[in-house]
Amino acid sequence: MKKLLIGMIHFYQKFISPVLPPSCRYYPTCSTYFIDAVKKHGVILGFIMGKARILRCNPFVRGGVDPVPDNFTIFRNPHPEDYEDEIIAQKFHNKE
């Protein structure tokens, strides 16, 4: 089930997303977040987290860095600067 869901997201990333204008307000993108959430929290919780993230990605939200948290939540990660990822760390250190 996990492979099927991730495969559908990869299909979207490869064939559908390139045709559409870039619109994701977050880093990592919503589709990458969805895949990471499914890998980290399993199919059911990852699916819920991914859908919640897609609903948060709209013109009324500022966006920004929002990695998949270690604990299940449908809300934005409150402290993305604590996330140990080189790219995310560089984004925070370049702003200062």
Side-chain angles (χ1 to χ4, degrees):
M1 186 72 164
K2 185 185 284 190
K3 288 182 182 182
L4 176 65
L5 185 58
I6 291 173
M8 291 185 333
I9 298 167
H10 282 302
F11 178 84
Y12 166 81
Q13 287 177 329
K14 189 170 184 174
F15 297 107
I16 298 172
S17 182
V19 182
L20 303 172
S23 61
C24 190
R25 298 178 175 281
Y26 288 106
Y27 175 84
T29 63
C30 292
S31 58
T32 302
Y33 181 96
F34 206 119
I35 291 171
D36 293 345
V38 169
K39 286 180 180 178
K40 189 178 255 189
H41 298 287
V43 174
I44 296 170
L45 295 179
F47 181 83
I48 293 168
M49 290 177 75
K51 292 299 284 186
R53 166 69 177 274
I54 290 169
L55 292 173
R56 285 195 312 265
C57 189
N58 63 66
F60 304 108
V61 177
R62 191 176 98 209
V65 178
D66 181 31
V68 176
D70 292 330
N71 299 321
F72 170 78
T73 180
I74 59 169
F75 302 107
R76 182 179 175 149
N77 190 348
H79 301 289
E81 65 273 6
D82 294 339
Y83 194 72
E84 294 183 19
D85 183 274
E86 286 183 33
I87 296 172
I88 293 172
Q90 288 173 359
K91 283 185 175 274
F92 278 98
H93 294 300
N94 289 339
K95 287 184 178 182
E96 297 175 355

